[in-house]
Amino acid sequence: MDGNGYNAPVTPRRMLLLASMAAGIGAGVGLAHFGRSGGSARDAASLPGLLWPPRGTLPDFALTDQHGTPFTATSLRGRWSLVFFGFTRCPDVCPNTLAALAQARAGLAGVRKDFSVVFVSVDPDRDPPGELGSYVEHFDPAFVGVTGPTAELDRLTRALGVIYAKAPLGGGDYSVDHSAAVLVIDPRARFVGVLSAPHDARHIVDRALAIRAYVEGQS
Amino acid sequence: MNRTARMIAVLLLACGTGPARTAELSIRDAWIPAPPPGARHAAAYLTVDNRGSRARFLSGATSPAATAIAVHLTEIREGVARMRPAGLVRVEPGGKLVFAPGSLHLMLFLGETTLQAGSTVRLELSFDGGETIDIDAAVRTAGDAGVHPR
């Protein structure tokens, strides 16, 4: 591992570029899936961020939450989830997105449509699972913070079209470039929506409810 | 304390979180979203106004609450958030420079310091020519409550 804590054989910038190309990232992560099949493509295309039909359930991955409990694809079953990737040393996008998600969740509770919020740290070297609790619970005591080994993170990020890469800041410090979207997972652990940044609570609520209503109407 | 000194002290206190200024530059609306407990970083947001007739440059910032402060720029391109050092930041003559969520921010390295909502943090911004301006940034709970779906 070098002085930046980065041990991959390619440079961060190159890795990000490759990942972008591999994931087919367009104007919003995952939006490239639109219109590739399905009789309901027209309905689906009119709903911002909806991914329909879904590509199946999420693959197996083994992460750990802030309580030390395993967090897997099964953990996403039985509830609607909003998933966001980031890292705790991110002072701007991550806390502002989590604050917006906390406000959104309060709004969703008002219409009895609960969503679980999952923050996935893509900086496991500096964010051990046990230290994620005080971070995510600052925004909402119900938030779940998870992370795990890079190989396990990558199973999840690849399935969701999420990209991340370390970016040196100098002096041995680094930032982590990461997809800024909030991803919508349905109770069958299917990836059904992408809410693209910038985020505010009203837009999260409106789009998440619309996607949820559409998916619930299909099954 | 003589009367003059007392008056100066009162005036200094009265400055509070109001705009801080020099002849050409002023800073207003400085705030910091209260970071989670144990967080080692926080972002500060503010607006710099340049009433002068020449461009000015922010060269750095310090604070008693931070071991260091970096001027950073967040960019979201093709769905990916990137944070980078902003370099020398320019304030156009007659213009303003806004530090806001998702864009320019001062990144405070807090060390062991904890910032509580409701408190203030003194920031000292340095500009070209060695000019400095102090301002108190209000630590606030991020966002506001009361968002309801339509």
Side-chain angles (χ1 to χ4, degrees):
Chain A
M1 186 176 286
D2 66 21
N4 293 314
Y6 190 82
N7 59 2
V10 290
T11 65
R13 187 176 296 275
R14 176 143 182 84
M15 180 175 158
L16 185 64
L17 187 66
L18 290 170
S20 295
M21 289 167 10
I25 302 301
V29 58
L31 293 178
H33 304 303
F34 268 136
R36 67 192 176 111
S37 65
S40 56
R42 186 172 300 166
D43 286 349
S46 67
L47 267 189
L50 174 69
L51 300 179
W52 197 265
R55 288 180 294 171
T57 59
L58 293 178
D60 287 336
F61 59 87
L63 301 175
T64 305
D65 75 10
Q66 72 260 42
H67 308 294
T69 307
F71 188 91
T72 66
T74 306
S75 310
L76 289 163
R77 288 185 174 270
R79 75 189 83 172
W80 282 86
S81 300
L82 300 173
V83 182
F84 178 67
F85 292 78
F87 61 113
T88 70
R89 280 168 173 74
C90 150
D92 184 45
V93 166
C94 302
N96 289 317
T97 301
L98 289 169
L101 283 165
Q103 291 173 52
R105 199 168 162 275
L108 290 161
V111 290
R112 306 172 80 88
K113 300 276 187 192
D114 197 14
F115 280 73
S116 173
V117 171
V118 181
F119 174 75
V120 184
S121 171
V122 288
D123 189 10
D125 290 346
R126 299 188 297 190
D127 288 338
E131 291 183 18
L132 288 175
S134 61
Y135 184 79
V136 297
E137 291 162 16
H138 168 77
F139 299 95
D140 184 328
F143 279 10
V144 179
V146 308
T147 191
T150 303
E152 297 297 330
L153 284 169
D154 288 350
R155 290 176 195 263
L156 180 58
T157 56
R158 277 194 210 108
L160 297 175
V162 163
I163 59 180
Y164 69 99
K166 287 180 180 176
L169 288 175
D173 196 7
Y174 62 86
S175 180
V176 185
D177 298 345
H178 58 92
S179 296
V182 168
L183 312 171
V184 185
I185 310 296
D186 83 353
R188 292 160 69 180
R190 299 181 303 181
F191 175 30
V192 296
V194 176
L195 313 181
S196 50
H199 300 293
D200 71 64
R202 166 57 62 89
H203 284 119
I204 292 171
V205 166
D206 288 350
R207 288 178 291 169
L209 283 180
I211 289 169
R212 178 170 175 163
Y214 182 89
V215 173
E216 287 177 339
Q218 299 296 309
S219 46
Chain B
M1 192 185 290
N2 67 36
R3 194 172 162 187
T4 308
R6 195 155 57 229
M7 189 169 285
I8 290 170
V10 167
L11 284 172
L12 285 173
L13 283 172
C15 288
T17 56
R21 59 176 59 213
T22 65
E24 292 183 346
L25 295 167
S26 57
I27 304 177
R28 57 188 163 91
D29 304 333
W31 68 288
I32 296 172
R40 288 178 278 282
H41 301 76
Y45 305 111
L46 48 81
T47 299
V48 181
D49 294 297
N50 180 4
R51 295 179 309 284
S53 55
R54 60 192 172 116
R56 301 300 303 271
F57 298 90
L58 174 66
S59 53
T62 60
S63 169
T67 58
I69 297 180
V71 183
H72 278 172
L73 175 66
T74 298
E75 290 179 302
I76 299 177
R77 275 188 304 191
E78 297 182 343
V80 176
R82 298 173 169 87
M83 189 184 76
R84 295 290 184 270
L88 204 59
V89 175
R90 179 185 176 101
V91 196
E92 296 299 334
K96 67 179 176 181
L97 184 67
V98 179
F99 289 69
S103 176
L104 276 176
H105 55 277
L106 298 177
M107 178 153 161
L108 280 61
F109 295 78
L110 299 174
E112 300 301 316
T113 304
T114 299
L115 303 183
Q116 300 284 354
S119 65
T120 59
V121 169
R122 173 61 57 96
L123 303 173
E124 182 182 279
L125 275 66
S126 305
F127 293 87
D128 54 293
E131 201 168 22
T132 63
I133 301 178
D134 287 359
I135 187 161
D136 286 338
V139 181
R140 299 207 299 247
T141 304
D144 47 34
V147 174
H148 302 289
R150 281 193 284 265

